């Protein structure tokens, strides 16, 4: 939930800008499903993932429930059942359809969901065009911004969920044709790994300045960080392959105890989308990507690792994962430098469990369920990935997933004391 | 698998008739999915059920694999991956896609599967139009007949699987509009229950005469049946409601031990599609049907019962389920009588576990996997249901499901010694 | 439950004989636990098995609940909590301790349970010494006989449950010292397999004559049996080893579909207690027995097979399992012949699911729960095993277990049509 | 693992003291099982708990494997199989018996395990009596100290595991007679809750000074702690009862999302050992304790809470759990004050996930597996409980359990920002 120290601007021009941002984000969601059929959009590949159609509907539900229902005169829901059907986890809003059954919803159809989007979009834009009291305008602006950030989060999930679904199909269909990928075939060369040192001291951590932020990034507060070094770039596929070929997945001494149990039970032997194609192809390793099955790009950052895999790799390499505070400190210093890949490539696992900052308070009301209630048994990832929408990333952003989650574009950056 | 004592007729007229039957059955499958969207056809609602699209593809795979691959000159598969993707359980044919993941197959699309059907249909019809040696013609005819019977079985499953999927959707969408149901609103009155007695003696059981049959109906053999009586009609919803209201689901003494465990663990309190709508509606009980949610039709036969529920009801009523042999004996005598509902209403659970008849032999080859390997921990149902395709039912037909299966149109007819 | 056509003899001598039989059976149970420590007697190795102490207490509970509570003047329970604690599955008697938690009962101690036995024994013997009215005497006699047969069943389970527990201990401790086994080292040679033929016809099946029987053996009734042949002896370890070495556990075409799923999921590759000791020992196969780990006795009957394994072996051998009726017919003819091993070696799986005989009726009251409610998803075994108490076996005896059960002394005898 | 900055004293007197400490700790373990039978000591009540006999053997295995095997001339194991049987989780030591099957080990008997203890004790004492080189003496001393601390941890687990086992027995037998409890009947009155404030600033956290410590308490390092207040005493049963009676277990808004799922699935409605005895007794709530079932002691600290329950209570009370650093800061200040209950009553959940301190390094070798590999998905508890052995607690001690663990004496102390 967004907390703005200063009142947001609710002047006419500001509202026009907001309307434009609204339209742009909403259209982008629809663009993401253009390469997909209604069938692709309907199926749920695992309880952790959601159908693309559900993402399209749930983000719309968010605007309808938290904004239209509150601000629109004579509000009537688009469809009474949608309130339950597309509620994700807001206990304060009432009943919700069970998460694991999101894939059963063949009706409403994709077409109907797109009509639902259109309807809510029009009503939302009409609302923004109205003259509002400053008080209402302020709250409305904050909620619309929250809704757009929320939708951008679902855009990334939509991509990773679709990728997981397609990976379950033995035909391994691509999401995008290779032609759509501009740099296909371009050989990238990873830079040499360097270590950047940081002195011990008290630093500030958390959101600062203007612009949107989630409540979990606040309050900005002080932390003492002992001296540490941070790697100049992400770990590559080639480097991770050395771990695999060194028997990394077979050596219990490299793993956390719970990680070793997971590896053994799930028979994990490589990153989620790698395929050992020695038998079928001339060259060895392939990776399923949004462009279908491709030769493993050795110089690219390794992705689709669980926390357990990232942590084991770091131990094997004689290093460790950074803490959130270390990451934020290093990224603040060198994040924008040429060649730095803090953002836009792969989410980076930290060793920090997802916990409230000192003095953290969830806002009252249902939107207060956005972040705080997930602060247990999850680990923080920092940065952003190739799938993160433009403009959505920032220094203080805290992404989080359980230690076994692998279907995000999750990699790692090494640290050492 | 069909076993014909006499050689089938492979003359020109016979082949023309076969081609016509082929087209008719194949078209019927496509007709069944006309009320459905591609999304409806894609989703798998539980491991026991399959997506409609999978039914359409698998029945086509059956013709392609067991007939075209064998008889067509210069055979080339429509798509090499389909051999694995749409193999249900034939170990003799090689790899198969895991049953529980049939719903992941968003590609091929419904459209592509319909094209697959068209392609195989054309090639099959071309084959039937050829002049064949009598030997080949004979085997071809037998396999085509088997394929058509196989497709009819899947037509019934397609309906019950779709019904289950729609029942998982909180919107409870109907498969058919009520308007499509000719007798909607027509009040049926169940006839009075009467008991038909049969003397003890040796009877013959199993397939007799010309016409198609599955291998599990053979060999026809003798059984000694002690004297028994059979109910003149099926148990009705009203009668089963009396069991419910008498606390039938709460009394362990009425249940088989494993049935009671199932009732307790799954919290079963009524037939699968019944809804206790006292709170929401004026009248009490509703039932989800192919026409959506409807008032419970008290005079209709109760359906969607597990073996356990049927068996407990019979005990509560001071009676029992019939054996297969008793059912076949009684149906042979009175099956065609006016008012008899041995066929076309509801499959009838028997107390007979699904087992080979004395001297049963599965045929060699992959088609021999059709029946025999399922002969354990399943119970036989006799008759046929409203969802059984016309012409598919017969006296010696043995349907079978596990004791907990409820999503078929399964009811019961009482017997007593 | 016993049904006696004629009234049992309740004269003084008869009652003295009954008291003697009572003491003898009760002492035998205590003898069985003499090689065991209190710890051995307390632990439950799997939900299907029970601790030896529980067997000792439950069989006592049976006499206390069904006899003393009914016939003893001024009855007071030995311990009020035992009524629930040692109830196995009698819903008609009230609450029962959950089966899977029988191993949690470290108190009462083994010593206290033995005191419980002693107390109930004394009171039961006092009852038998009383002068009773014929009517009471008749019912008492029947219940005591039932209790003794019940205890003998638990004596066999006690042995197989203890054997399973010891097999879970990496030390593989023997139940008996090898010295206690008189024929240790005696080389047995299996006789040549011969086939005994039987003509088709109506036979009678079920209990006949005087003596005790369970309700599931009745009513004696007619069955038509087609002609068949039965093997002259049980399948041996050497014969089953040939199946193993021929890849029997790796070939899905030899298995029922549910059996193949079980083999694959549980990674079954051999009979329950076999160990492939090629790596550790000079000779290859060993078997865990009541005398600890022993070289596999190639000429002995194979035991500890599931129904699935027995059925697959029979298919591999080009034969099949017999039905109950076939087994009873053949055993009646040749069961007592020299060399015949119908009894006393291994229970023999039949292809018959456990079902009520025509006209079967469970007796009223809690003892009516003894048999009937288990008649689903179980398969009948006939004969008796090395672990069956002397005098407990008979021609019409129906043992039954699920298709996956392996911890009994269960083997097979082949049949063919 | 212990890290001593200074060399430990290995002079003669020091070694005599160490031998005395050794004997004292070892005897205490045996004293703990004196109220128990061999049966009590053998059974495992859940995978998380271990049998008392296993605790006795495993702590002995620790001395034998890590000390005797290394230092004893002509070392021969007491029993070769024990190396595997009583290895808990040390991958570096080789094979280990599966954790969930510790209760299957009826052999060796309790008596044999006590003999094993005696044998190892004698050999260990003989070793300590030898003249050793300073280098060996130093390492030996460190390992013996580690072994004793390890044994003390298992003494607490032995008590909580036994308590759990007894709680599974419907007879609810006490571990101790009430007579053994000196203050039984003494009415305690909880003091009024007060808040102690602490200023923001950099503090030092982690082990300081001489004396034993585990590696997870190091290195001592700086943390910035924002200002906070800490409660003067633990939350009482009476206070927690108010939460229960206010519907705390029924309100999803009070719980972490994963906590709410856990409450719903496991049907949790109260602390682990509470019993709602309104129906059976005159007064309402009872609690199962080491003295058996007792009236709920309203003024005592609430115990046997999971992290989820503690966290939900804190939210309900408008407060929060402290972090580790806050706890250590407050305990350092007021821990020894009169009335302070930082130690000796109940472990106190913190909001800190169990993670390595900055610069943490596990020692090389198998003893390095002691702590580090468990640093994921667990939460830290601070202080000590009634079950903690005398002398085992200290300011920097970090206990840890998963968020659902309830069978320890775990309670909470409130904090606020």
């Amino acid at each position: 939930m967004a907390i703005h120290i200063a009142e947001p601007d609710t002047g006419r021009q500001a509202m026009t800008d907001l309307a434009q941002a609204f339209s742009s984000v909403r259209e982008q969601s629809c663009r993401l499903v253009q390469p997909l059929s209604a069938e692709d959009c309907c199926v749920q590949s695992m309880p952790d993932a959601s159908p693309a159609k559900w993402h399209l509907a749930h983000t719309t539900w968010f605007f309808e429930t938290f904004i239209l229902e509150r601000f629109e005169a004579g509000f009537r829901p688009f469809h009474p059942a949608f309130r339950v059907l597309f509620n994700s986890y807001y206990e304060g809003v009432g009943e919700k359809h069970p998460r694991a059954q999101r894939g059963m919803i063949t009706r409403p159809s994709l077409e109907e969901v797109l009509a639902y989007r259109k309807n809510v979009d029009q009503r939302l834009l009409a609302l923004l065009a109205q003259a509002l009291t400053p008080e209402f305008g302020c709250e409305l602006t904050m909620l619309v911004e929250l809704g757009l950030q929320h939708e951008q989060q679902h855009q990334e999930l939509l991509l990773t969920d679709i990728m997981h679904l397609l990976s379950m199909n033995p035909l391994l269909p691509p999401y995008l044709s290779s032609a759509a990928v501009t740099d296909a075939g371009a050989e990238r060369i990873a830079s040499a790994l360097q270590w950047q040192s940081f002195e011990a001291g008290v630093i500030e951590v958390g959101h600062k300045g203007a612009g949107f932020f989630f409540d979990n990034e606040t309050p900005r507060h002080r932390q003492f960080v002992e001296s540490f070094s941070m790697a100049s770039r992400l770990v590559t596929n080639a480097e991770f392959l050395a771990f695999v070929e060194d028997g990394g997945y077979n050596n219990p001494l490299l793993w956390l105890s719970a990680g070793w149990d997971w590896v053994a039970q799930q028979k994990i032997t490589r990153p989620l989308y790698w395929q050992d194609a020695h038998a079928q192809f001339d060259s060895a390793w392939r990776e399923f990507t949004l462009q279908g099955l491709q030769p493993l790009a050795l110089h690219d950052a390794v992705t689709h690792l669980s926390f357990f895999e990232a942590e084991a790799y770091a131990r094997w390499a004689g290093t460790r994962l950074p803490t959130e505070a270390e990451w934020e400190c290093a990224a603040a210093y060198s994040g924008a430098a040429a060649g730095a890949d803090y953002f836009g490539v792969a989410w980076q696992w930290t060793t920090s469990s997802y916990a409230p900052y000192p003095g953290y308070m969830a806002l009252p009301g249902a939107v207060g369920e956005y972040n705080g209630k997930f602060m247990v048994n999850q680990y923080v990832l920092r940065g952003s990935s190739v799938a993160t929408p433009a403009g959505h990333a920032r220094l203080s952003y805290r992404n989080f997933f359980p230690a076994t989650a692998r279907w995000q574009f999750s990699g790692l950056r090494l640290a050492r004391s």
Side-chain angles (χ1 to χ4, degrees), chain A:
Chain A
M1 202 6 240
I3 306 165
H4 287 268
I5 288 14
E7 303 264 298
D9 184 355
T10 59
R12 189 52 15 222
Q13 180 57 40
M15 295 311 269
T16 308
D17 293 350
L18 187 61
Q20 204 153 11
F22 177 79
S23 298
S24 160
V25 169
R26 296 285 287 167
E27 279 159 20
Q28 173 61 10
S29 297
C30 295
R31 234 183 332 263
L32 287 175
V33 300
Q34 266 170 13
L36 302 174
S37 69
E39 298 173 59
D40 293 330
C41 291
C42 187
V43 170
Q44 180 173 32
S45 62
M46 60 171 172
D48 283 343
S50 297
K53 186 170 72 177
W54 187 91
H55 285 298
L56 294 176
H58 166 66
T59 49
T60 305
W61 170 94
F62 193 97
F63 285 107
E64 187 186 33
T65 304
F66 293 125
I67 299 183
L68 291 186
E69 187 167 335
R70 176 131 177 218
F71 294 100
E72 190 184 46
F75 169 81
R76 288 186 51 196
F78 180 80
H79 190 305
F82 287 9
R83 188 182 178 87
V84 168
L85 220 45
F86 299 123
N87 179 3
S88 52
Y89 54 66
Y90 294 86
E91 307 278 355
V93 174
E95 294 289 301
K96 55 194 197 305
H97 186 65
R99 176 175 189 115
Q101 291 177 21
R102 290 178 183 166
M104 299 292 113
I105 307 304
T106 61
R107 328 264 182 108
S109 68
L110 177 58
E111 216 173 333
E112 288 170 290
V113 165
L114 293 175
Y116 176 38
R117 289 184 70 87
K118 205 164 187 175
N119 175 277
V120 167
D121 285 358
Q122 286 168 345
R123 290 156 68 190
L124 209 299
L125 287 171
L127 198 66
L128 292 181
Q130 285 175 21
L132 295 158
T133 67
E135 190 187 352
F136 269 21
C138 172
E139 193 181 351
L140 174 63
T141 301
M142 282 168 63
L143 285 169
V144 171
E145 267 192 42
L146 178 62
L148 294 179
Q149 297 285 334
H150 172 257
E151 181 137 359
Q152 287 186 311
Q153 291 184 312
H154 279 278
Q155 287 169 357
E156 179 152 6
L157 291 171
L158 189 157
L159 274 177
T160 53
D161 290 355
I162 273 292
M163 189 169 165
H164 186 262
L165 171 63
L166 296 177
S167 81
M168 301 288 285
N169 189 325
L171 302 174
L172 291 178
Y175 167 72
L176 297 174
S177 67
S178 291
V181 188
T182 50
D183 65 348
E187 184 85 2
R188 278 170 298 276
I189 301 292
S191 59
L193 184 76
Q194 293 179 316
W195 293 95
Q196 171 81 36
S197 301
F198 295 87
E199 293 299 309
V202 172
I203 63 166
E204 292 203 344
V205 168
H207 182 74
K208 180 171 73 174
F212 178 87
F213 54 94
F214 286 111
D215 61 0
N216 62 5
E217 303 167 41
T218 64
R220 187 167 173 88
H221 63 286
R222 290 163 286 184
Q223 282 200 31
F224 190 94
V225 176
E226 300 281 354
S227 65
F228 71 99
S229 300
M230 187 74 88
S232 58
R233 61 158 174 76
L234 302 176
V235 171
T236 64
N237 280 323
E239 287 164 344
F240 201 86
L241 183 55
F243 169 78
V244 173
E245 292 180 340
D246 191 41
Y249 283 95
N250 302 318
N251 182 358
L253 298 176
L254 295 174
W255 296 79
L256 290 166
S257 179
W260 181 246
D261 291 348
W262 172 78
V263 160
Q265 269 178 7
Q266 305 289 319
K267 303 200 179 70
I268 307 286
T269 61
R270 52 180 178 254
L272 177 58
Y273 292 132
W274 287 21
Q275 290 201 354
D276 185 348
H278 280 80
Q280 295 163 267
F281 297 103
D282 45 347
S283 109
W285 289 90
R286 308 251 157 174
E287 185 171 25
F288 180 67
T289 72
L290 289 169
Q291 292 83 39
L293 198 62
Q294 300 289 341
L296 184 64
L298 294 171
H299 284 273
D300 281 2
V302 63
T303 53
H304 300 292
L305 297 182
S306 67
F307 172 81
F308 285 132
E309 289 163 290
E311 209 266 354
Y313 176 86
R315 184 172 295 109
W316 173 80
T319 61
R320 60 172 176 81
L321 298 180
T323 65
E324 277 198 88
E326 288 168 345
W327 190 97
E328 193 165 326
C329 173
Y333 182 83
S334 50
D341 46 10
Y342 280 87
F343 297 98
V345 179
W347 289 101
Q348 294 144 63
W349 286 108
T350 73
T351 193
S352 300
S353 87
Y354 184 43
Y357 282 165
Y360 168 75
M361 298 213 8
L363 288 207
V367 289
E369 297 184 50
Y370 203 102
N371 274 307
K373 74 178 181 181
F374 301 108
M375 290 177 173
V376 66
N377 290 347
Q378 312 224 42
Y379 285 80
V380 174
L381 303 103
R382 290 299 198 99
S384 64
S385 83
V386 291
T388 311
H392 189 70
R394 67 188 159 271
L395 194 60
S396 56
Y397 198 102
R398 305 173 81 196
N399 200 353
F400 52 89
F401 279 94
T404 55
R406 314 170 86 201
W407 87 110
Q408 299 303 305
F409 286 90
S410 47
L412 79 156
R413 174 184 303 281
L414 299 174
R416 58 187 194 196
S417 296

